[in-house]
Structure formats: structure tokens, C-alpha cells
Amino acid sequence: MNHNKLNTELALIGFGIIGFSILAILSSFISPAAADSSLTRATSYASFNEKGELVRPTGYREWVFIGAPLTPNDMNDGKAAFPEFHNVYIDPVSWSHWKKTGDFADGTLIVKELTNVGSKQAVSGNGYFQGEYTGLEAMVKSKQHVPDAPGNWGFFRFTMENSRDLHKSAMVQANENCSTCHQSNAAIDMVFTQYYPVLRAARAKGEAGTGGQ
Amino acid sequence: MNHNKLNTELALIGFGIIGFSILAILSSFISPAAADSSLTRATSYASFNEKGELVRPTGYREWVFIGAPLTPNDMNDGKAAFPEFHNVYIDPVSWSHWKKTGDFADGTLIVKELTNVGSKQAVSGNGYFQGEYTGLEAMVKSKQHVPDAPGNWGFFRFTMENSRDLHKSAMVQANENCSTCHQSNAAIDMVFTQYYPVLRAARAKGEAGTGGQ
């Protein structure tokens, strides 16, 4: 074996081993939003404390937005159940799973950030425009943490009454507060996909459902 | 030089060259949302064709959502200028820049996906609920591509009249169609940040503005 051939062979071996290691390490840092279906995360975005309460999620404004239902106070006798815009997001790993399979994976975390109406008139026309954040709610699908809940979906409320601060953690809501209505009225697996075009367009469609294709 | 030493040296050289190459290649695939400030992208998300037209962006439903103004037809004599929900997104690299500096970087791409009203009544109350996608518009800040535009912002429209298909590319709009109004009425650098709580909360605030902190 001459040195030139040895050089080539060692370089190829080096490429194989080292390249694979670097790929494996870097994969763990790649944002789930960009991760393809071969990359999976070990844990859910949902984190529970020692009391079994859901810890308030953070960073969700960088997750995947799925819809903004609006039930304004002035269309509900001043007493909207969900005042007023609800900006709804799904965690990026569960989004990737939805794109691939059309199902909500165990561990899925969906958050709903409540936002008041800041204005009803702008240069673009009459309507409803978002103002300030007023609350945060979440639903988590977890066999481990809510084994007895319908569909294994637990519902959580971080909103404080009469304050824009948020609770640090929240215990699961009683079924009659959330589950019952979601079970009876939501289109797919207790999620109101009928109001979320983002979810409908991407369901088991992969990249074709991410906009502009 | 014995073969063992040669092995080691070649492996190290292999690690250096190949590792660096893989890092460089992978960096280009890492989601900008996850990228820290040490990773920068060579080019803008905005791509222009040989005619100088903006190529229709794709994948924007995985970018950062910044707001959902609503100017419904039924509140505008059936002739809303922007029917009806507009889901607005900023590209992830420009979002990172905004979080860090509070400015819109050269290259910033903001898209507005038009969505009709699918329903006005749900179990959650009376209101407005998103239906189907009906159009797509964009604004790009680019010294290179729109050097003479006010603020270096170009405005583009991919929406087709009487169709839900989208144009593949779009030429920049005349100033009087978009720029003039944005210049006079938008709060920060021709962007209507007054209606985008996501942008307001994160302006130069870093991770503290990404929700839940």
C-alpha cells in the first residue's frame, strides 16, 4: 500500500466517522421547526413540576402559529369567555409530527395567548386589531401526566384574574371546564382544527402545507 | 513516520477539513429561529428573479407570526381593502435581528397571508373565525433590490384576482399603492407595529420577549 492510497482511504474513513459524529451532535441543536422527520426529540415541550402541575411554557411566540380566533367582548355582551383574540401556537416538534402523520403526538403542547382588542379602526379599514397580552392557556396531550383525561388531553390556565401577570404553573382543569366542550365540538382529536387553516393545510402534507407552495 | 502516527495525523487533518465543511453546510440548514447570534446567513430570505421580481416566498407558516389584523368585508361595506384576516409573519433571521437590536435589518421579509372569514359563531362565542387562504402579499427591505423606494421597502402582491392560486413572482408595486400609506401611518420604519404585540414585546428585548417570561 503506498502512502497516496493510504491517505485517500484514511480520509474516507475519517469522513465517515467524524462526519457522522458531527451530524449527530449538531442534529440535537437544530431547531425542531427545521428538523426533518428523521430527527426526534427525547422529551415533550411540556414540563411538569413535582406537584404534577404544568410549568408555564416560554418562547412560544417562536413556535408555529396555527390560528387567531376572535371572540370580542363587544360581540358577546361584554362577557367573552375567551377575551378577545386568542393567538394559538403548537410546539415545533408536534408540528413536524402533524405534518408527517396528520395526528397529534403524545406530548403535544398547544398554547393560546389571550390578547385584547387595541383598536377597531385603522387606515386599512374598520375591524379588530390586537392590543396587549392578557392571559395564557394551554392544552397538553400526555398519557403519562393526564392518563385519565379524555383523549389524554389536559387543559391548563395561567391567566391571573385582574392582573396581566401569569401563574408560574397550573394544575389540570376539571373536565367540565374544558374537555367536555372540546370533546363535543372540536373537529379532530379535541382540537378546533375547523378554525385553524394552518393545521388543515399541512395535515399529513409535509412541506406542501407550509405556505406558498 | 510509522503508520500509527500517520493514522492519527491524517485523522486530525480529516477532522479539521471535513468537520469544518460539514459545519458550514449544516449551518445553512439550521432554522434561523434557533440560530444564535453567532450564526449569520449569507443571503436574505427574499429571492429575486432575473427580471427583478420577488419570487413567491414559501414555508412562511413556520416563520414567526407577528399579528392577525382583521378588516372583515361585513365591517367595510363588503369591500375590505385587505379581506379579511391578514396573518402576518417575519422571516426568522430578521426576527432575531429585531429581538437583538429593535431594527428591521436590510433583507427583512414580512409576508401577509390573506384568509377569509369561515364562521362568525362558535361554541366559544360570537366572533370571527378563519376560513380559507385567499391571497399573499409581502414587503422586503433591500438596498440592493429597491434602492430608490422609501425606507428601502418594496411591496409585492402575489394574490390573483378571482382565483386562490398565487403568482409565481411579483414586481414591486408603485409607491402610491402601498409605500405612501405605510410611510404616513405605520409606527416603526413603515411597519404597523402598533397592531403587532409580538413585535412590540420583543423589540430589543431578546428572549424576554418571546412569550411566557
Side-chain angles (χ1 to χ4, degrees):
Chain A
M1 184 180 275
N2 65 39
H3 274 195
N4 281 346
K5 193 176 170 198
L6 184 64
N7 279 0
T8 308
E9 291 190 354
L10 285 172
L12 286 172
I13 292 167
F15 183 91
I17 296 172
I18 297 163
F20 182 81
S21 306
I22 292 174
L23 269 168
I25 293 165
L26 277 178
S27 294
S28 67
F29 289 105
I30 289 179
S31 160
D36 73 15
S37 56
S38 66
L39 299 169
T40 54
R41 211 165 29 80
T43 56
S44 166
Y45 268 70
S47 170
F48 288 80
N49 66 17
E50 70 286 350
K51 290 188 236 168
E53 296 174 336
L54 180 65
V55 176
R56 187 175 72 228
T58 59
Y60 47 79
R61 291 178 203 142
E62 297 182 341
W63 298 357
V64 178
F65 165 76
I66 59 174
L70 168 69
T71 48
N73 276 318
D74 63 10
M75 289 176 72
N76 293 279
D77 301 325
K79 298 174 187 171
F82 304 96
E84 295 179 271
F85 278 96
H86 2 151
N87 293 342
V88 189
Y89 303 86
I90 187 171
D91 77 81
V93 166
S94 304
W95 163 254
S96 291
H97 186 87
W98 173 263
K99 278 196 303 183
K100 186 180 174 190
T101 68
D103 297 320
F104 295 111
D106 192 77
T108 296
L109 173 52
I110 293 174
V111 303
K112 175 168 72 177
E113 187 156 42
L114 304 177
T115 311
N116 67 16
V117 173
S119 171
K120 291 189 64 181
Q121 208 281 325
V123 68
S124 56
N126 299 313
Y128 287 91
F129 301 87
Q130 300 195 350
E132 305 296 333
Y133 297 119
T134 58
L136 182 70
E137 305 184 358
M139 61 189 288
V140 177
K141 189 177 177 78
S142 173
K143 282 181 190 153
Q144 182 190 345
H145 293 287
V146 282
D148 300 325
N152 293 130
W153 282 108
F155 293 81
F156 304 86
R157 181 175 167 82
F158 299 95
T159 307
M160 282 189 188
E161 300 306 326
N162 305 317
S163 167
R164 290 190 184 170
D165 289 338
L166 298 171
H167 292 291
K168 284 187 179 172
S169 60
M171 58 183 298
V172 68
Q173 294 279 314
N175 282 351
E176 60 268 31
N177 290 355
C178 310
S179 296
T180 309
C181 175
H182 276 254
Q183 226 175 347
S184 303
N185 298 288
I188 299 176
D189 192 10
M190 299 179 64
V191 179
F192 283 95
T193 54
Q194 63 264 49
Y195 307 128
Y196 300 142
V198 176
L199 285 180
R200 291 203 307 278
R203 190 179 194 199
K205 297 277 172 53
E207 299 314 304
T210 62
Q213 280 89 352
Chain B
M1 184 181 276
N2 65 36
H3 275 194
N4 280 345
K5 191 176 173 200
L6 183 66
N7 279 1
T8 308
E9 289 187 356
L10 285 172
L12 286 172
I13 292 166
F15 184 90
I17 297 171
I18 298 163
F20 183 81
S21 306
I22 292 173
L23 269 168
I25 293 165
L26 277 178
S27 293
S28 68
F29 288 106
I30 289 181
S31 163
D36 70 20
S37 56
S38 66
L39 297 170
T40 53
R41 212 166 27 82
T43 57
S44 166
Y45 268 69
S47 169
F48 288 80
N49 67 17
E50 70 288 348
K51 291 189 235 168
E53 297 173 335
L54 180 66
V55 177
R56 187 175 72 228
T58 60
Y60 46 81
R61 290 177 204 144
E62 297 182 341
W63 299 358
V64 178
F65 164 76
I66 58 173
L70 168 68
T71 49
N73 276 319
D74 63 12
M75 288 176 73
N76 293 280
D77 301 324
K79 298 172 188 173
F82 304 96
E84 294 180 88
F85 279 95
H86 2 152
N87 293 341
V88 188
Y89 303 86
I90 188 171
D91 78 80
V93 166
S94 303
W95 163 254
S96 291
H97 185 86
W98 173 264
K99 277 196 303 184
K100 188 178 173 189
T101 68
D103 297 320
F104 294 111
D106 193 76
T108 297
L109 172 53
I110 293 175
V111 303
K112 176 167 71 178
E113 186 156 43
L114 303 176
T115 311
N116 67 16
V117 173
S119 171
K120 290 190 63 180
Q121 208 280 325
V123 69
S124 56
N126 300 311
Y128 288 92
F129 302 88
Q130 301 196 348
E132 305 295 334
Y133 297 120
T134 58
L136 182 70
E137 306 184 358
M139 61 189 288
V140 178
K141 189 177 179 76
S142 174
K143 282 181 191 153
Q144 181 189 347
H145 294 286
V146 281
D148 301 324
N152 295 129
W153 281 109
F155 293 81
F156 304 86
R157 182 175 166 82
F158 300 95
T159 307
M160 282 188 187
E161 301 304 327
N162 305 315
S163 167
R164 290 190 185 170
D165 289 338
L166 298 171
H167 293 290
K168 283 186 180 172
S169 60
M171 60 182 297
V172 68
Q173 294 278 314
N175 283 351
E176 60 268 29
N177 290 355
C178 309
S179 296
T180 310
C181 175
H182 276 254
Q183 227 176 345
S184 304
N185 298 288
I188 299 176
D189 192 10
M190 299 179 65
V191 178
F192 283 95
T193 53
Q194 63 265 48
Y195 307 129
Y196 300 143
V198 177
L199 286 180
R200 290 202 308 278
R203 190 179 194 199
K205 297 276 172 54
E207 299 315 303
T210 62
Q213 280 87 354

